[in-house]
Amino acid sequence: MGIKNTVLKSADVIIVGAGLSGCLMAWFLKQRQPELFIQIFEQSNDLPLKRTWSFHQSDVSDNYLNIKSLISKEWQEHTVHFASYYRNLTGRYASIRPEDLSNKIKNEFAGQIFFNTEIVSVDEAAITTADGSVHKANCIIDARGPETLTTKCGYQKFLGLHLQTKTAHGLQNPIIMDATVKQTDGYRFMYVLPWSETELLIEDTYYSESSLMDNEFLRKEILNYVSSKGWQVQKILDEETGVLPIPFFQSQSNEKKLAVIGARGGFFHPVTGYSLPEAVKIADRISQLKNPSTAAARTVLNRYRNEQYWQKRYFYLLNRLLFQAAQPNERFKIFERFYSLPESLIANFYRASLSNAEKIRILSGKPPVPVTEALKCLINSGV
């Protein structure tokens, strides 16, 4: 006997998926239009917020104040370390810890988040759950997890340990890239966030052809790095991992009629894999719609996608140069050269707003990759 469909009370907005993009969308809608009836449906038994999100203030400059209360920690400066130089960068850097975002969203949307809910279909006007219930809304936002990419890609993968040190570690500002470590499995660097005088998040990070990780080995590598800095571990407080696709070309979504956000909709920085800045920009635009509808949200997304087309096409080219033109153990040279460029250019790179002159500047000068391999990537891109 089949399950009989039950149509439940309509909402103004239904958000399917409570990851980062879904949570930020709900947050912006609530702040901008508190009268809206919002429902969030999540298939797991808790918010799937399992890793720290970091960003430069300039990445979200127009919306910094809108997310300031979500920020766990921010710093006035940050550094990069390479064998040939160390550099201090003056832009403000911020992080949102998963437990902090989870607590804020649960408190803000108490009674409006439905966990352990399997979604069997999503369309423009309603979602259907595994028990046969049909939930209607004027606006359906699809924020489910990413689909399998339909294009070739590399990966940015990491394992991070949240540590408490026995004594003050002395680190004042984040090290967003310490590439002085041994270069293995592609471009490798340590990423270090000082949460307090005795707390650190340290991530062993790789730009690699493979998504596979030996977690036990990476834990040992992080502890070896800690020891090399003269820090002593009091306790391992937590652990987080991630594998971010670094695509070589634009991946096309099959869900043309839906308003799809987040990584599933292709809204992330192609080179860094970071999704928070684009999630903020998109939430900002959709939350300004009066009487939001699925069609209107989809129009906003398509307009944003068109605006970003040439920026992202350029970033896909950079990804091909990184993975297909550079030898794995030589990839660090690309980042080493990039971080020697003007701070304004670096900031524009992260917020995906490079001028044509800046795009040329990144590729000009003595090439950090073989010229013949670079030309193959350029020809392959059609530019």
Side-chain angles (χ1 to χ4, degrees):
M1 184 176 180
I3 299 174
K4 184 178 180 180
N5 285 359
T6 302
V7 180
L8 302 181
K9 182 179 179 181
S10 295
D12 294 310
V13 180
I14 285 177
I15 298 172
V16 188
L20 177 67
S21 60
C23 286
L24 289 175
M25 180 62 69
W27 178 265
F28 270 75
L29 285 166
K30 186 72 174 288
Q31 304 307 307
R32 292 265 172 77
Q33 302 186 60
E35 72 281 1
L36 290 177
F37 177 30
I38 301 169
Q39 293 180 321
I40 306 169
F41 291 84
E42 171 54 44
Q43 67 176 355
S44 63
N45 61 5
D46 201 353
L47 296 182
L49 306 173
K50 305 301 182 185
R51 65 180 181 86
T52 301
W53 293 276
S54 299
F55 57 97
H56 305 82
Q57 181 180 339
S58 58
D59 298 344
V60 296
S61 54
D62 294 338
N63 288 287
Y64 174 72
L65 294 178
N66 294 324
I67 62 170
K68 187 172 176 57
S69 62
L70 300 177
I71 293 174
S72 304
K73 179 83 172 181
E74 54 187 329
W75 302 267
Q76 296 293 331
E77 300 176 344
H78 53 284
T79 62
V80 292
H81 297 180
F82 294 95
S84 60
Y85 69 88
Y86 285 16
R87 186 178 184 186
N88 189 64
L89 300 163
T90 58
R92 186 187 292 264
Y93 195 72
S95 293
I96 298 176
R97 297 170 72 162
E99 60 268 31
D100 294 339
L101 180 58
S102 181
N103 290 336
K104 289 277 180 63
I105 295 299
K106 286 179 181 177
N107 289 336
E108 193 75 19
F109 294 93
Q112 296 168 260
I113 307 177
F114 301 90
F115 294 110
N116 297 309
T117 305
E118 181 182 352
I119 307 299
V120 296
S121 70
V122 179
D123 62 35
E124 292 182 272
I127 66 170
T128 303
T129 59
D131 64 0
S133 299
V134 178
H135 302 261
K136 293 187 173 183
N138 298 327
C139 184
I140 307 287
I141 302 292
D142 188 349
R144 289 175 292 177
E147 298 177 294
T148 301
L149 283 180
T150 58
T151 180
K152 293 181 180 180
C153 71
Y155 300 93
Q156 185 196 150
K157 58 188 182 182
F158 60 87
L159 182 141
L161 295 181
H162 181 191
L163 306 170
Q164 181 178 343
T165 56
K166 290 183 179 180
T167 58
H169 49 70
L171 188 64
Q172 299 299 316
N173 294 309
I175 306 172
I176 64 170
M177 279 188 184
D178 185 347
T180 62
V181 294
K182 184 178 180 181
Q183 294 298 297
T184 59
D185 194 12
Y187 172 53
R188 179 189 179 212
F189 62 93
M190 290 289 181
Y191 174 83
V192 188
L193 296 179
W195 291 126
S196 71
E197 289 184 351
T198 57
E199 286 185 48
L200 295 166
L201 172 64
I202 305 179
E203 294 179 353
D204 195 355
T205 308
Y206 300 78
Y207 275 81
S208 170
E209 283 87 357
S210 170
S211 61
L212 299 178
M213 294 194 296
D214 182 342
N215 289 356
E216 185 57 35
F217 174 77
L218 296 179
R219 294 183 192 108
K220 291 179 181 178
E221 287 292 282
I222 292 172
L223 294 178
N224 288 337
Y225 178 79
V226 169
S227 178
S228 74
K229 295 295 184 182
W231 303 325
Q232 292 183 304
V233 177
Q234 178 73 36
K235 186 189 300 184
I236 297 177
L237 303 172
D238 205 355
E239 178 178 304
E240 58 185 68
T241 61
V243 180
L244 308 177
I246 306 298
F248 300 162
F249 298 95
Q250 176 72 54
S251 180
Q252 298 297 324
S253 172
N254 295 321
E255 298 165 311
K256 303 295 185 182
K257 295 183 179 180
L258 303 179
V260 185
I261 65 174
R264 191 182 190 91
F267 297 109
F268 57 90
H269 194 297
V271 180
T272 68
Y274 290 177
S275 57
L276 185 143
E278 291 211 357
V280 166
K281 293 172 187 176
I282 286 168
D284 169 53
R285 294 189 182 198
I286 290 179
S287 65
Q288 295 186 58
L289 293 172
K290 298 302 180 184
N291 301 315
S293 67
T294 305
R298 190 169 62 246
T299 297
V300 168
L301 294 172
N302 288 338
R303 185 179 298 121
Y304 179 82
R305 186 178 285 109
N306 290 336
E307 290 173 6
Q308 289 292 305
Y309 175 79
W310 289 106
Q311 291 284 344
K312 290 199 170 181
R313 185 174 179 180
Y314 177 78
F315 290 137
Y316 296 133
L317 168 62
L318 294 184
N319 288 344
R320 293 195 297 278
L321 290 171
L322 177 63
F323 283 94
Q324 297 180 329
Q327 292 299 313
N329 63 345
E330 298 288 316
R331 286 180 189 150
F332 73 92
K333 294 180 180 179
I334 295 176
F335 292 89
E336 187 176 45
R337 179 182 178 278
F338 171 76
Y339 273 102
S340 70
L341 297 173
E343 281 195 42
S344 59
L345 184 152
I346 295 171
N348 287 340
F349 169 85
Y350 274 103
R351 65 168 166 257
S353 61
L354 290 167
S355 68
N356 289 334
E358 288 172 327
K359 292 177 183 178
I360 294 171
R361 178 73 182 276
I362 290 175
L363 295 176
S364 64
K366 184 179 180 181
V369 299
V371 173
T372 55
E373 297 302 316
L375 288 174
K376 290 178 184 178
C377 293
L378 286 168
I379 293 169
N380 194 23
S381 70
V383 298

